[in-house]
Amino acid sequence: MAARIAFAGFNLESVTAVPQIVGLAEFERVCVRGRELTERFRGTNTVPGGCLKICEAEGAEFVPLFHTLLGALGPTADAAVAHYTSEIISGLARSAPVDGVILFLHGACWAAGYADVERHVIDAVRAAFPALPIAVALDYHGNIDRETLRGAEIAVAYRHSPHIDMGETGERAARALLRLLREGRRPGLAVARPDVVIPSIMSATALEPLASIIAEARAAEQAGDCDISVMAGFSYADSANTGMSVICLDWDGQDAAEAKAQAFSDRLRAARKAIANAIPILSVEDALANIECQPAKGRPIVLLEHADRMNDSTHLLRALLTRDVERVNVPFLLDPETAVQAHAAGEGAEITVKLAGKTAPETGGPVEAVARVLWSGPKSFNVSGRYQRGSFVDLGLTALIQIGAIRVSVVSHFAFAVDGDPFFIFGEKPEDYDVILLRSKTHFRDYYEPMADRILVVDTPDLGPADVRLIPYRQLDTARAYPWSEAPA
């Protein structure tokens, strides 16, 4: 009889300091359930897509409960955590019998009433179904420790940032769970932590020395029967387990898993300074001076406002408006109010806008300017780039506006601008511009590194600083963590 594998995804990367709480309605806007989940994600480079692929290839029945993923926003409401935890449990009971469940969780979802959201979800499923094998697929930027995964048999995380292997991560989780069921034995599962906290901008897996450590993990997998996840953690979610970690799933047993996890944790600890300083960070003035001294020549210059956490920071936009820089594009700037204003005015109208900078004081405040409306209306698309390829994105009411030499796509729903889609959906391409202002941390690299003239990473006084020592942690014990402490872990 074919194994029946249930799947549920509840996924959010939370910046603790963002004042807007992500409630149930926001999750429900993107939530898909049952047969729609299967239809929407089949063939996509996503975790549910990867899980479905392996289940179908190995003759297992894929039992879809629900999937909701919002990317990177603020904290979630306690009620949302409780709701989706309950829905997983009720869905499993309703779908019984099932032979195992795959939970797609982030690892850095933060809610005021929960010390560890992911641990809560896993533990609740374990309590309700004591004998049910649980596999967990996590984000590379998750904050976890041994206690997070105490209720799981299987745990894997993305291996790449940019996350071009989301589908492969789902495949790994499903493959391991089906092997457990087939062989009737549980692998060793270990977590080790080096007590190292790095900013997201330094977590790209192609940067050295992180790239070499991850390559060593792949070699260790080839030499042994194991799966090793090196995780960067997410420094902007304040929890007791914020920071880097290593998961090892080892079919040679618990001792083997513990040894490998600790060995790679030690490697991260030894390389902490180099990892945390892998690329240069520029000030706004230095970045703009660089552009003025060396204008773009046939390929766009990427300005990366990495400290922006809600896609509405105005620090660089305001500075660009004071400079003589031609052909600038600012994709997917979050400002529902301006989108409504532009749509009401209509194509060709000139409007006075108070643009973006509204989610928190740190974002820089709204930019006041006169803008011409080029287009407005509802906008959605399916991702064409490798990161989440095939996924459906709904931008809500959207407006394309022009302020001098700067073109801005203003959206109503948070969305990542990391590939060519923000241009393609308007009949343009990135090469049409000299300067592109992005707000990604690592995901942009897969598309833009090969095609950009250069990438300038810019620090601004927003909620995601490059210097993590500026973050006012309350839960994390910084006394034992790098960069606060140089003492051995």
Side-chain angles (χ1 to χ4, degrees), residues 16 34 54 81 185 187 192 206 214 229 272 305 341 361 388 411 478:
T16 307
I54 294 303
V81 178
R185 64 187 181 100
I214 292 171
S229 300
R272 60 194 180 278
E305 193 165 1
Q341 180 188 1
Q388 295 198 49
V411 302
T478 57

Side-chain angles (χ1 to χ4, degrees), residues 43-277:
T44 62
N45 184 18
T46 62
V47 168
C51 293
L52 177 60
K53 176 182 176 181
I54 294 303
C55 285
E56 291 184 337
E58 298 199 13
E61 181 181 353
F62 184 74
V63 182
L65 302 183
F66 68 88
H67 177 273
T68 182
L69 182 152
L70 283 170
L73 292 170
T76 189
D78 289 354
V81 178
H83 174 88
Y84 288 110
T85 304
S86 177
E87 184 170 347
I88 293 170
I89 293 169
S90 63
L92 288 170
R94 187 173 58 252
S95 302
V98 295
D99 298 291
V101 60
I102 301 171
L103 303 177
F104 175 35
L105 307 172
H106 187 282
C109 183
W110 194 94
Y114 297 87
D116 186 330
V117 169
E118 285 76 14
R119 184 180 72 204
H120 167 77
V121 174
I122 297 166
D123 284 355
V125 175
R126 171 58 62 230
F129 303 95
L132 183 68
I134 299 173
V136 183
L138 294 159
D139 194 289
Y140 166 79
H141 291 107
N143 297 320
I144 64 150
D145 55 26
R146 295 170 188 267
E147 291 301 294
T148 305
L149 302 178
R150 63 192 180 189
E153 282 80 14
I154 305 288
V156 297
Y158 307 154
R159 289 171 167 169
H160 296 279
S161 190
H163 302 329
I164 57 173
D165 64 325
M166 295 176 73
E168 292 176 12
T169 304
E171 292 178 29
R172 288 159 54 214
R175 195 177 287 114
L177 180 58
L178 289 171
R179 178 176 176 180
L180 181 153
L181 295 173
R182 184 171 59 251
E183 297 182 2
R185 64 187 181 100
R186 175 176 177 166
L189 179 61
V191 178
R193 293 174 47 80
D195 288 322
V196 173
V197 179
I198 62 171
S200 298
I201 198 64
M202 301 299 177
S203 67
T205 49
L207 298 177
E208 291 292 356
L210 192 54
S212 292
I213 296 172
I214 292 171
E216 292 172 18
R218 301 290 78 79
E221 291 172 339
Q222 292 293 320
D225 196 3
C226 62
D227 184 295
I228 300 170
S229 300
V230 175
M231 298 176 65
F234 187 62
S235 55
Y236 309 107
D238 178 17
S239 59
N241 56 13
T242 296
M244 303 188 85
S245 60
V246 179
I247 302 172
C248 183
L249 184 75
D250 201 309
W251 295 91
D252 288 331
Q254 188 64 27
D255 289 346
E258 296 283 356
K260 291 186 180 73
Q262 190 60 53
F264 281 98
S265 177
D266 291 345
R267 289 284 288 112
L268 294 174
R269 181 72 188 181
R272 60 194 180 278
K273 291 183 181 179
I275 293 171
N277 297 280

Side-chain angles (χ1 to χ4, degrees), residues 311-314 317 333-335 338 354-359 363 365-367:
N311 282 6
D312 78 328
S313 184
T314 57
L317 174 60
L333 189 66
L334 180 66
D335 188 345
T338 297
K354 293 183 178 179
L355 183 62
K358 299 168 183 173
T359 58
T363 60
V367 167

Side-chain angles (χ1 to χ4, degrees), residues 11 31 44 89 99 161 170 230 264 286 308 318 401 405 457 476:
N11 197 289
C31 190
T44 62
I89 293 169
D99 298 291
S161 190
V230 175
F264 281 98
D286 286 345
D308 181 1
R318 181 175 282 106
I401 62 174
V457 180
L476 177 66

Side-chain angles (χ1 to χ4, degrees), residues 289-413:
N290 181 293
I291 291 173
E292 290 171 336
C293 291
Q294 303 176 55
K297 296 180 180 179
R299 296 191 297 166
I301 298 168
V302 170
L303 285 176
L304 197 75
E305 193 165 1
H306 78 93
D308 181 1
R309 288 292 152 178
M310 289 293 286
N311 282 6
D312 78 328
S313 184
T314 57
H315 297 285
L316 267 172
L317 174 60
R318 181 175 282 106
L320 283 164
L321 287 168
T322 68
R323 304 297 180 103
D324 185 21
V325 181
E326 295 297 320
R327 300 202 311 166
V328 179
N329 192 287
V330 182
F332 290 0
L333 189 66
L334 180 66
D335 188 345
E337 295 174 6
T338 297
V340 169
Q341 180 188 1
H343 189 61
E347 185 175 324
E350 283 199 345
I351 58 177
T352 300
V353 297
K354 293 183 178 179
L355 183 62
K358 299 168 183 173
T359 58
E362 293 82 358
T363 60
V367 167
E368 296 191 24
V370 175
R372 181 163 56 93
V373 181
L374 304 179
W375 178 90
S376 69
K379 180 66 75 172
S380 61
F381 62 97
N382 289 93
V383 175
S384 67
R386 287 205 293 176
Y387 172 67
Q388 295 198 49
R389 176 172 289 165
S391 294
F392 176 76
V393 177
D394 178 13
L395 300 175
L397 188 61
T398 300
L400 194 62
I401 62 174
Q402 188 81 25
I403 305 173
I406 302 176
R407 184 164 295 188
V408 184
S409 53
V410 183
V411 302
S412 295
H413 300 320

